[in-house]
Amino acid sequence: MFSADQAWRSVLAHARPLAPVRLPLAQALGRVLRTDVHAGSDSPPFDASAMDGYAARRSSLGGPLRIAGEVQAGNPFSGKIGPGECVRIFTGAPVPPDCDCVIKQEDVSRDGDRIRVRQTGAPDFIRRQGENRRKGDLLLPAETSLGPPELAALASAGIIEPKVAPAPRVAHVVTGNELISPQQIPASGQIRDSNSTLIAALLQRHGSDLVAHTRTRDDLEAARAVVGELPVHDVLLISGGAGVGDYDFARPLLEALGYTLHFQAVNLRPGKPLVFASRNDRLAFAIPGNPVSHWVVFHLFIAPLLSHLQTGAVAGPARLLGKLAAGSPLPPADTRHTFWPCRATIVAGAYELAPLPLAGSGDSSRLVGANALLPIPPPPQSLDSGLPVEFIPCP
Ligand code: AMP
Ligand code: MG
């Protein structure tokens, strides 16, 4: 049986980052840039005034200055400014080439078309051409995640269709004769399907497109027909039926669909009967049905895979340092590699980790508040509160 690390390496070995696409800026929020972007021009593109005031020659500041004209942002001054002259100027307006300083309006006294400078030792108040960035400078490196400031930087550089990683397309097939929709009232033996909502929300958080979601009975032929109807996808997630029970048909289903199985169990708790398979560039997981297993497996393997498909990043889940909160109900020791859902909070500037009191892994409401996983590797151990621990943040 694979360890969690071996399982992640196996996933990586069969995954290839998706081919980049060009997207308009309005659709690129949250996407990952796939090429370096260089500045196409200097920034600022011309010497610009940093103040509302008057542009002049520093050598003329000792005497009165005649206002020879006005220059506004977006409207360059075409005349000449001689000695003893100045020009009214506003923030962002191009500084006329004859001038070498801007005097802010608070530092002059004005009388008609004349000014006198009260404060001659002030800075130039000119934003010099190229002082932020030169044409050709690196603006954004590949793999930058495009948030609002990055999109604005692309807009200011005139890059309106950046080359980005597409959202991975994920199809989700939920299996189980006992499952009904959340809006239905369970009859005897039935439970509401919560994994569909969980997975849809997790995929949205992780920049992926849920291209299809469908539920099927525990019936190989029915499930095969359902999968055959799915639109094009990069990742197939099958919820439930991953074990080896008589009605667990996820493995035969994947095999019947032409997938090669790479692992069929991982030494973890919860989530042990996890199946991973591939067919050409298409990847598939069969995830044990209980909701806590879903949440754990998603953060250990599926979220890092979705990131790899977009960025090529090979690191598994990120780890942070914290300490166990006092009085935490600790998970019972186990021989498997445990990944326990926790609530991480910042207390006095440091992370504190409170393991959630999960009775079993079948109840999704027990996950409420979870935002981290605490890895507890074998051999079985008990942990003391206050102990420094590494944890996996689960945004
Ligand atoms: P399975 O892996 O199919 O044997 O399912 C394991 C447990 O998870 C069973 O108790 C199921 O009823 C429960 N389960 C399976 N699928 C879902 C789902 N979509 N939503 C909520 N619970 C589920
Ligand atoms: Mg089932």
Side-chain angles (χ1 to χ4, degrees):
M1 186 164 42
F2 276 3
S3 67
D5 278 350
Q6 286 169 319
W8 169 241
R9 282 199 291 278
S10 171
V11 171
L12 269 186
H14 298 94
R16 253 199 300 160
L18 303 172
V21 293
R22 288 200 178 274
L23 281 187
L25 290 179
Q27 293 170 27
L29 179 65
R31 303 260 58 88
V32 176
L33 202 58
R34 285 291 282 275
T35 51
D36 288 346
V37 171
H38 296 272
S41 56
D42 291 344
S43 168
F46 47 82
D47 288 353
S49 178
M51 291 289 171
D52 290 337
Y54 300 85
R57 301 177 181 199
R58 196 166 274 289
S59 56
S60 305
L61 298 190
L65 298 172
R66 190 183 75 82
I67 303 168
E70 185 178 280
V71 47
Q72 294 174 8
N75 195 5
F77 184 73
S78 51
K80 296 238 17 116
I81 305 292
E85 290 186 322
C86 68
V87 68
R88 181 78 169 116
I89 197 166
F90 301 95
T91 304
V95 176
D98 302 325
C99 301
D100 56 9
C101 66
V102 170
I103 301 100
K104 53 179 172 156
Q105 59 195 33
E106 297 89 321
D107 287 346
V108 309
S109 36
R110 180 168 174 170
D111 181 13
D113 68 348
R114 312 250 148 201
I115 61 165
R116 186 169 277 286
V117 178
R118 290 196 300 257
Q119 227 289 44
T120 56
D124 290 348
F125 294 123
I126 296 175
R127 297 181 196 141
R128 297 286 172 192
Q129 174 171 349
E131 76 175 24
N132 298 336
R133 201 175 318 101
R134 286 281 173 205
K135 179 178 177 178
D137 283 355
L138 183 63
L139 188 61
L140 295 171
E143 293 192 18
T144 299
S145 176
L146 298 178
E150 291 74 26
L151 292 176
L154 291 172
S156 71
I159 294 158
I160 57 164
E161 285 208 323
K163 211 174 194 185
V164 297
R169 297 161 299 183
V170 182
H172 186 204
V173 174
V174 176
T175 72
N177 292 347
E178 75 279 31
L179 300 174
I180 55 166
S181 300
Q183 67 269 28
Q184 293 179 290
I185 309 290
S188 164
Q190 295 184 321
I191 60 165
R192 290 195 176 96
D193 163 20
S194 60
N195 285 338
S196 295
T197 303
L198 180 71
I199 290 290
L202 287 169
L203 291 174
Q204 200 180 336
R205 274 269 168 93
H206 289 266
S208 299
D209 275 352
L210 180 62
V211 293
H213 164 258
T214 179
R215 217 171 48 231
T216 175
R217 298 183 62 76
D218 290 320
D219 175 282
L220 182 57
E221 284 316 311
R224 207 174 156 172
V226 158
V227 176
E229 299 281 296
L230 294 174
V232 178
H233 50 280
D234 306 301
V235 180
L236 171 64
L237 300 179
I238 300 174
S239 280
V244 289
D246 288 355
Y247 297 98
D248 288 333
F249 60 88
R251 301 161 204 227
L253 171 65
L254 287 168
E255 284 174 325
L257 292 165
Y259 280 84
T260 305
L261 304 188
H262 302 299
F263 57 77
Q264 303 182 42
V266 182
N267 181 21
L268 36 106
R269 170 180 74 148
K272 182 173 159 200
L274 177 67
V275 179
F276 172 63
S278 67
R279 192 183 77 194
N280 304 322
D281 280 346
R282 191 172 284 180
L283 308 170
F285 288 94
I287 313 167
N290 75 56
V292 179
S293 299
H294 264 60
W295 195 77
V296 170
V297 163
F298 188 92
H299 289 103
L300 289 183
F301 303 108
I302 299 169
L305 167 66
L306 297 172
S307 164
H308 176 75
L309 293 177
Q310 295 177 78
T311 66
V314 296
R319 302 223 174 187
L320 292 176
L321 282 176
K323 64 175 186 180
L324 280 179
S328 310
L330 290 168
D334 194 274
T335 51
R336 281 171 294 165
H337 195 159
T338 300
F339 291 87
W340 203 261
C342 295
R343 175 95 193 143
T345 50
I346 295 175
V347 178
Y351 281 112
E352 250 187 44
L353 216 61
L356 297 189
L358 294 179
S361 47
D363 179 2
S364 49
S365 65
R366 295 284 192 145
L367 273 175
V368 169
N371 65 357
L373 281 172
L374 173 66
I376 312 171
Q381 52 190 296
S382 55
L383 300 171
D384 294 323
S385 57
L387 195 76
V389 285
E390 274 196 343
F391 67 96
I392 296 169
C394 302

